[in-house]
Amino acid sequence: DTGVSQDPRHKITKRGQNVTFRCDPISEHNRLYWYRQTLGQGPEFLTYFQNEAQLEKSRLLSDRFSAERPKGSFSTLEIQRTEQGDSAMYLCASSLDFTRLAESYEQYFGPGTRLTVT
Amino acid sequence: AQSVTQLGSHVSVSEGALVLLRCNYSSSVPPYLFWYVQYPNQGLQLLLKYTSAATLVKGINGFEAEFKKSETSFHLTKPSAHMSDAAEYFCAVIYGGSQGNLIFGKGTKLSVKP
């Protein structure tokens, strides 16, 4: 079991540039979540996928953000025209779907991608 | 709005002392409740969860939490703190009717003094 992996671990970019992050979930997990964590705060939900379908998006996810999960495996999160306010840790988590009862509510997190916009 | 409140952004205890981190949720319907730990520059690791079974839940590293519906609380405890427990702890909930996304508290940073 390799766990949830994220790439890159750190990204420094200049304001206005586009960035893309990748998340590889645990292989048998159907659900994949993206969260954003700013300094001194708990993670905040951005969006989630059930297999390849994006089923919910937070109002935090502006038009500059887009996420995909082709073929229901890995996922990418792209931020266009980055702003300094986008600087944060972006966390990915995966879980089984709810038909697997209690254990399906457990979300396993990756190490995160720390984005710094200068 | 549904929320999670963690009292105390920073808690400091001596090694060997009791650890108590507080968490309250805002719902008349008991949600699913979790405690996660985060070490610097790392992701979150699940400590324990409550999913409507036993109200006293035991987790990893000697931590446990008790669900109290009357107090809408899910406080985290450990009888004897160890230096390696120093980290940030997050209480999180999944409310009924949601799509399963976690709502997190702001976190409590635990310091352990030798």
PDB file of all heavy atoms in Angstrom, chain B residues 25 27-31 69 95-96:
ATOM      1  N   TYR B  25     -19.199  20.297  17.972  1.00  0.00           N
ATOM      2  CA  TYR B  25     -19.801  20.400  16.652  1.00  0.00           C
ATOM      3  C   TYR B  25     -21.152  21.083  16.763  1.00  0.00           C
ATOM      4  O   TYR B  25     -21.706  21.228  17.860  1.00  0.00           O
ATOM      5  CB  TYR B  25     -19.921  19.013  16.014  1.00  0.00           C
ATOM      6  CG  TYR B  25     -20.816  18.056  16.767  1.00  0.00           C
ATOM      7  CD1 TYR B  25     -22.173  17.965  16.481  1.00  0.00           C
ATOM      8  CD2 TYR B  25     -20.310  17.249  17.783  1.00  0.00           C
ATOM      9  CE1 TYR B  25     -23.001  17.109  17.175  1.00  0.00           C
ATOM     10  CE2 TYR B  25     -21.121  16.387  18.474  1.00  0.00           C
ATOM     11  CZ  TYR B  25     -22.462  16.319  18.172  1.00  0.00           C
ATOM     12  OH  TYR B  25     -23.288  15.468  18.880  1.00  0.00           O
ATOM     13  N   SER B  27     -24.623  20.571  15.416  1.00  0.00           N
ATOM     14  CA  SER B  27     -25.714  19.901  14.716  1.00  0.00           C
ATOM     15  C   SER B  27     -26.544  19.133  15.728  1.00  0.00           C
ATOM     16  O   SER B  27     -26.006  18.534  16.647  1.00  0.00           O
ATOM     17  CB  SER B  27     -25.179  18.947  13.656  1.00  0.00           C
ATOM     18  OG  SER B  27     -26.222  18.169  13.106  1.00  0.00           O
ATOM     19  N   SER B  28     -27.856  19.117  15.526  1.00  0.00           N
ATOM     20  CA  SER B  28     -28.710  18.324  16.406  1.00  0.00           C
ATOM     21  C   SER B  28     -28.673  16.856  16.016  1.00  0.00           C
ATOM     22  O   SER B  28     -29.031  15.977  16.798  1.00  0.00           O
ATOM     23  CB  SER B  28     -30.153  18.831  16.340  1.00  0.00           C
ATOM     24  OG  SER B  28     -30.626  18.758  15.006  1.00  0.00           O
ATOM     25  N   VAL B  29     -28.233  16.585  14.827  1.00  0.00           N
ATOM     26  CA  VAL B  29     -28.087  15.207  14.349  1.00  0.00           C
ATOM     27  C   VAL B  29     -26.609  14.835  14.440  1.00  0.00           C
ATOM     28  O   VAL B  29     -25.778  15.478  13.823  1.00  0.00           O
ATOM     29  CB  VAL B  29     -28.559  15.064  12.891  1.00  0.00           C
ATOM     30  CG1 VAL B  29     -28.330  13.636  12.404  1.00  0.00           C
ATOM     31  CG2 VAL B  29     -30.010  15.474  12.758  1.00  0.00           C
ATOM     32  N   PRO B  30     -26.301  13.827  15.235  1.00  0.00           N
ATOM     33  CA  PRO B  30     -24.869  13.482  15.392  1.00  0.00           C
ATOM     34  C   PRO B  30     -24.224  13.166  14.056  1.00  0.00           C
ATOM     35  O   PRO B  30     -24.716  12.346  13.300  1.00  0.00           O
ATOM     36  CB  PRO B  30     -24.910  12.243  16.291  1.00  0.00           C
ATOM     37  CG  PRO B  30     -26.200  12.335  17.004  1.00  0.00           C
ATOM     38  CD  PRO B  30     -27.155  12.980  16.056  1.00  0.00           C
ATOM     39  N   PRO B  31     -23.138  13.831  13.788  1.00  0.00           N
ATOM     40  CA  PRO B  31     -22.414  13.562  12.548  1.00  0.00           C
ATOM     41  C   PRO B  31     -21.398  12.449  12.757  1.00  0.00           C
ATOM     42  O   PRO B  31     -21.323  11.860  13.832  1.00  0.00           O
ATOM     43  CB  PRO B  31     -21.713  14.895  12.303  1.00  0.00           C
ATOM     44  CG  PRO B  31     -21.402  15.381  13.697  1.00  0.00           C
ATOM     45  CD  PRO B  31     -22.545  14.914  14.573  1.00  0.00           C
ATOM     46  N   LYS B  69     -23.342  13.328  23.134  1.00  0.00           N
ATOM     47  CA  LYS B  69     -24.399  13.974  22.349  1.00  0.00           C
ATOM     48  C   LYS B  69     -24.996  15.163  23.090  1.00  0.00           C
ATOM     49  O   LYS B  69     -25.258  16.210  22.485  1.00  0.00           O
ATOM     50  CB  LYS B  69     -25.491  12.954  22.012  1.00  0.00           C
ATOM     51  CG  LYS B  69     -26.604  13.492  21.154  1.00  0.00           C
ATOM     52  CD  LYS B  69     -27.616  12.414  20.844  1.00  0.00           C
ATOM     53  CE  LYS B  69     -28.768  12.973  20.028  1.00  0.00           C
ATOM     54  NZ  LYS B  69     -29.794  11.938  19.716  1.00  0.00           N
ATOM     55  N   TYR B  95     -21.166  15.854   8.099  1.00  0.00           N
ATOM     56  CA  TYR B  95     -22.555  16.003   8.482  1.00  0.00           C
ATOM     57  C   TYR B  95     -23.458  15.212   7.545  1.00  0.00           C
ATOM     58  O   TYR B  95     -23.158  15.049   6.361  1.00  0.00           O
ATOM     59  CB  TYR B  95     -22.965  17.479   8.471  1.00  0.00           C
ATOM     60  CG  TYR B  95     -22.415  18.275   9.634  1.00  0.00           C
ATOM     61  CD1 TYR B  95     -21.378  19.175   9.460  1.00  0.00           C
ATOM     62  CD2 TYR B  95     -22.938  18.106  10.912  1.00  0.00           C
ATOM     63  CE1 TYR B  95     -20.869  19.896  10.533  1.00  0.00           C
ATOM     64  CE2 TYR B  95     -22.437  18.821  11.996  1.00  0.00           C
ATOM     65  CZ  TYR B  95     -21.406  19.707  11.794  1.00  0.00           C
ATOM     66  OH  TYR B  95     -20.903  20.409  12.850  1.00  0.00           O
ATOM     67  N   GLY B  96     -24.571  14.725   8.110  1.00  0.00           N
ATOM     68  CA  GLY B  96     -25.534  14.000   7.309  1.00  0.00           C
ATOM     69  C   GLY B  96     -26.038  14.848   6.163  1.00  0.00           C
ATOM     70  O   GLY B  96     -26.257  16.040   6.310  1.00  0.00           O
TER      71      GLY B  96
END
